[in-house]
């Protein structure tokens, strides 16, 4: 099983959000050029899972073009951790917002 | 066996219970239901509080700064500290500390200075690298990671799996084969600094467990100085085996703690939940579940305390620890399962801790030696090694 999310990004729009169900999982948010600016998760406290988390993210962007992709995953916390470590392995550092939010020591991953 | 609590034990248990109720549970309510840790500032505050109470560093011998408590008392405490959502794999969110890599108590002075003391002070994180893709139940034969002497170093090559904490660690213990002809007598324990060239954490291994995810490690020409051997060359299996035996009592006690909490919740719920015009508590099918739960809990608790008391008396306790681990993990799973049945649909949700306990309790029948290995250990001790 690959450890990267390989599905393509799509625009974060109300129409595309309708296809997202209220499952738990993880997501990437990216600028229109595909640069990931946030790695998030929808956990057990999210009222409508990925749907409500992504809705919240879309509202916060206030119309600014945004790309997203997600993965339904019941092990959202360890998967979220893995995605952050992968990002550091690939890009050398975390997205700024993740860096700000992270309160614990992030692990090191050396994907093959 | 006399399992009457002493006055001191009663006071300690009451204190821990109060601490859990007043400090841990309110914080846990605010966390994600799968969370494995408290917020760092909350944890630091509670660690300071536990240190003031004199309980910090459970499992650490008093000469190294741990509390002067016998194994029986620590087992009783473990049964209290696990009675919350994350309790099975992170009792009280780690604010009572712990021995970490207990094997380092046997290290030489230089190794203690560099690795043990900083670990006990909470300055260094560790991992325990035993299990390999070739198997974990029979480490003596399954270990294929090889170490070859090269001057003052050893060069290691191989792979490890289901290793918790390797990605965040400062160092860890890695077990490797140093003599291919000797089976369990050909395994050596190395203290490995990480990150190091040749040590790669390849991926997170996602399991049923929410707390402390596991990782897969690849080792390619990793150089480890000879002075980093823990103990002696080819004597590493005894180090691993000692940990596995010691771990079984608190591991089993954790299962009992969760089972006690699940039973408490089930009893409370069956009195207030009505079906067909009467509370669940009046239904014989429910009463029998509650009775079966209690039998499971008391049997497991008795075996845990029996093993702990033998260990405290300095007697051989391998069989008793295996019995406690076997019964504790299996009984704990049954109790959580019955409690979920009593709670019905709510028992399946993340609103309650059962679904997490159910997932994590399933691992307990595998982790630290599966049920089948515990039976093997018990049979070997009862019948004699010659028949195995």
């Amino acid at each position: 099983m690959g450890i990267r999310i390989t599905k393509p990004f799509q625009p974060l729009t109300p129409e595309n959000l309708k296809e997202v169900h209220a499952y738990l999982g993880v997501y990437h948010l990216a600028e229109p050029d595909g640069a990931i600016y946030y790695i998030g998760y929808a956990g057990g406290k999210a009222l409508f899972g990925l749907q409500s988390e992504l809705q919240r993210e879309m509202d916060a962007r206030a119309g600014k073009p945004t790309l997203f992709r997600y993965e339904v995953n019941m092990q959202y916390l360890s998967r979220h951790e893995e995605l952050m470590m992968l990002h550091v392995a690939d890009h050398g550092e975390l997205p700024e917002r993740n860096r700000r939010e992270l309160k614990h020591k992030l692990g090191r991953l050396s994907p093959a | 066996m006399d399992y009457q609590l002493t006055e001191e034990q009663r006071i300690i248990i009451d204190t821990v219970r109060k601490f859990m109720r007043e400090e841990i549970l309110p914080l846990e309510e605010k966390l994600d239901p799968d969370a494995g840790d408290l917020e760092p500032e909350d944890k630091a505050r509670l660690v300071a509080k536990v240190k003031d109470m004199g309980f910090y560093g459970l499992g650490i011998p008093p000469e190294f700064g741990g509390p002067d408590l016998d194994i029986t008392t620590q087992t009783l405490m473990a049964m209290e500290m696990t009675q919350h959502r994350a309790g099975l794999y992170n009792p009280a969110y780690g604010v009572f500390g712990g021995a970490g890599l207990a094997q380092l108590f046997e290290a030489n002075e230089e190794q203690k200075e560099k690795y043990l003391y900083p670990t006990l002070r909470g300055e260094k994180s560790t991992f325990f690298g035993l299990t390999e893709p070739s198997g974990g139940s029979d480490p003596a034969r399954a270990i294929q990671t090889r170490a070859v002497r090269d001057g003052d170093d050893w060069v290691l090559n191989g792979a490890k799996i289901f290793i918790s904490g390797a990605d965040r660690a400062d160092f860890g213990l890695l077990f490797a084969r140093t003599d291919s002809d000797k089976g369990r007598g050909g395994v050596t324990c190395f203290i490995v600094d990480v990150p190091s060239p040749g040590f790669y954490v390849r991926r997170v291994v996602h399991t049923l467990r929410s707390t402390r995810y596991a990782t897969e490690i690849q080792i390619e020409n990793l150089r480890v100085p000879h002075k980093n051997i823990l103990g002696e060359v080819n004597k590493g299996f005894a180090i691993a085996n000692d940990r596995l035996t010691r771990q079984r009592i608190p591991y089993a006690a954790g299962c009992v703690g969760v089972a006690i909490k699940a039973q408490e919740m089930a009893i409370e719920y069956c009195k207030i939940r009505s079906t067909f015009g009467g509370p669940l508590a009046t239904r014989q099918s429910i009463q029998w579940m509650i009775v079966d739960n209690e039998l499971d809990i008391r049997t497991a608790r008795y075996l845990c305390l029996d093993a702990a008391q033998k260990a405290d008396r300095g007697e051989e306790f391998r069989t008793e620890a295996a019995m406690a681990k076997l019964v504790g993990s299996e009984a704990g799973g049954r109790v959580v399962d019955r409690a979920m049945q009593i709670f019905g649909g709510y028992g399946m949700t993340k609103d309650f801790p059962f679904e997490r306990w159910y997932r994590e309790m399933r691992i307990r029948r595998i982790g630290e030696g599966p049920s089948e290995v515990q039976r093997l250990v018990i049979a070997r001790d009862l019948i004699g090694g010659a028949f195995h």
Side-chain angles (χ1 to χ4, degrees):
Chain A
M1 190 185 85
I3 60 175
R4 287 182 172 78
I5 299 180
T6 53
K7 66 203 275 189
F9 280 109
Q10 53 182 321
L12 185 58
T13 60
E15 297 72 43
N16 285 335
L17 259 189
K18 281 183 193 160
E19 305 301 316
V20 179
H21 296 284
Y23 294 126
L24 307 179
V26 292
Y27 59 85
H28 277 153
L29 297 177
E31 300 292 354
D33 64 358
I36 293 170
Y37 73 83
Y38 188 61
I39 304 160
Y41 71 85
K45 295 261 186 194
L47 200 53
F48 290 100
L50 284 161
Q51 195 181 62
S52 55
E53 287 305 289
L54 286 166
Q55 176 74 50
R56 190 174 51 75
E57 298 284 2
M58 188 175 70
D59 294 346
R61 291 284 275 185
K64 196 173 171 190
T66 306
L67 300 177
F68 81 108
R69 62 185 176 191
Y70 66 95
E71 178 183 287
V72 172
N73 198 317
M74 292 296 284
Q75 298 303 85
Y76 48 91
L77 288 182
S78 55
R79 182 64 172 137
H80 180 242
E81 203 76 7
E82 183 176 50
L83 288 177
M84 289 197 292
M85 288 190 279
L86 267 172
H87 193 90
V88 172
D90 291 344
H91 303 282
E93 61 178 5
L94 275 177
E96 194 272 335
R97 184 173 150 200
N98 286 104
R99 223 168 34 237
R100 220 175 337 113
E101 290 180 1
L102 191 69
K103 291 182 178 172
H104 61 267
K105 182 179 175 184
L106 188 66
R108 302 168 297 263
L109 208 59
S110 309
Chain B
M1 184 186 74
D2 177 17
Y3 55 93
Q4 197 86 331
L5 301 191
T6 64
E7 187 53 28
E8 186 192 14
Q9 285 170 336
R10 204 176 299 280
I11 292 168
I12 290 172
I13 296 315
D14 284 347
T15 306
V16 174
R17 193 170 291 168
K18 186 164 179 274
F19 179 87
M20 296 301 296
R21 192 177 57 235
E22 294 180 0
E23 303 288 356
I24 297 294
L25 296 183
L27 290 175
E28 187 168 69
E29 273 298 305
K30 297 177 192 160
L31 298 175
D32 184 279
D34 273 12
D37 270 313
L38 295 173
E39 297 292 334
E41 56 274 18
D42 287 329
K43 187 167 181 178
R45 179 176 59 79
L46 294 184
V47 164
K49 204 159 195 170
V50 170
K51 283 181 176 171
D52 285 346
M53 288 156 60
F55 293 149
Y56 189 75
L58 291 185
I60 298 173
E63 60 268 32
F64 292 103
D68 194 7
L69 297 169
D70 58 24
I71 296 170
T72 303
T73 305
Q74 295 193 42
T75 302
L76 290 163
M77 290 173 76
M79 289 177 191
E80 296 296 327
M81 287 158 46
T82 45
Q83 292 187 34
H84 63 106
R85 192 188 290 263
L88 210 47
Y89 279 96
N90 200 6
Y93 290 98
V95 300
F96 284 79
L101 294 181
Q103 299 72 26
L104 290 172
F105 295 125
E106 308 305 320
N108 62 40
E109 272 313 309
E110 190 186 345
Q111 292 169 341
K112 280 179 185 163
E113 283 295 333
K114 188 172 177 189
Y115 299 106
L116 174 63
Y117 301 135
T119 305
L120 295 180
R121 290 195 296 268
E123 296 163 7
K124 286 194 172 182
S125 309
T126 63
F127 70 89
F128 186 79
L130 178 66
T131 302
E132 301 200 355
S134 53
S137 294
D138 179 19
R141 277 164 282 259
I143 289 177
Q144 293 178 7
T145 295
R146 294 193 175 274
V148 178
R149 184 82 190 250
D150 182 27
D152 289 339
D153 293 343
W154 289 78
V155 180
L156 276 65
N157 281 282
K160 299 283 175 183
I161 197 162
F162 302 126
I163 310 300
S164 302
D167 57 322
R168 298 184 197 183
D170 300 293
F171 75 94
L173 301 186
L174 266 185
F175 292 84
R177 187 160 296 288
T178 39
D179 189 326
S180 52
D181 299 327
K182 287 189 179 165
R184 64 175 56 191
V187 174
T188 300
C189 178
F190 296 88
I191 305 174
V192 176
D193 291 298
V194 289
S196 284
F199 182 90
Y200 305 106
V201 179
R202 290 301 191 199
R203 68 180 176 113
V204 172
V205 183
H206 303 278
T207 67
L208 296 171
R209 194 171 74 185
S210 295
T211 313
R212 293 187 178 150
Y213 55 82
T215 63
E216 183 170 347
I217 296 167
Q218 192 177 347
I219 302 150
E220 283 179 2
N221 296 321
L222 172 68
R223 297 190 80 86
V224 182
H226 181 75
K227 64 177 183 180
N228 273 30
I229 285 178
L230 183 63
E232 297 173 42
V233 174
N234 292 334
K235 299 274 178 65
F237 183 74
I239 293 171
N241 209 26
D242 181 62
R243 166 190 155 118
L244 294 174
T245 301
R246 284 180 183 282
Q247 261 305 102
R248 281 169 191 152
I249 302 175
Y251 201 78
C255 298
V256 175
V258 163
I260 289 170
K261 191 67 184 174
Q263 169 79 330
E264 183 188 303
M265 292 172 71
I267 290 174
E268 196 179 327
Y269 187 70
C270 75
K271 291 177 186 171
I272 57 170
R273 173 71 168 171
S274 283
T275 55
F276 305 105
L280 282 180
T282 62
R283 313 295 178 207
Q284 196 175 47
S285 58
I286 301 297
Q287 291 172 357
W288 287 8
M289 286 185 207
I290 297 289
V291 171
D292 288 343
N293 276 356
E294 196 63 23
L295 289 169
D296 272 334
I297 289 167
R298 291 194 192 196
T299 308
R301 183 175 182 274
Y302 178 93
L303 289 170
C304 285
L305 294 177
D306 184 41
Q309 291 197 350
K310 278 208 159 183
D312 278 333
R313 290 196 297 266
E315 297 172 19
E316 177 59 58
F317 63 98
R318 184 174 57 178
T319 305
E320 286 73 17
M323 286 179 174
K325 197 275 176 185
L326 170 63
V327 174
S329 58
E330 298 201 343
R334 288 193 296 269
V335 171
V336 169
D337 184 66
R338 289 190 202 104
M340 290 175 90
Q341 195 68 17
I342 292 169
F343 265 74
Y346 288 116
M348 314 298 134
T349 69
K350 284 189 180 293
D351 296 354
F352 291 94
F354 300 109
E355 66 87 27
R356 180 166 176 179
W357 289 340
Y358 186 78
R359 284 185 280 118
E360 296 189 333
M361 194 69 91
R362 182 61 186 86
I363 305 175
R364 304 295 263 212
R365 284 161 50 197
I366 300 284
E368 301 292 330
S371 295
E372 292 71 23
V373 167
Q374 306 309 324
R375 287 187 167 89
L376 193 77
V377 168
I378 297 164
R380 190 180 285 157
D381 286 351
L382 293 176
I383 301 168
F387 294 93
H388 288 270

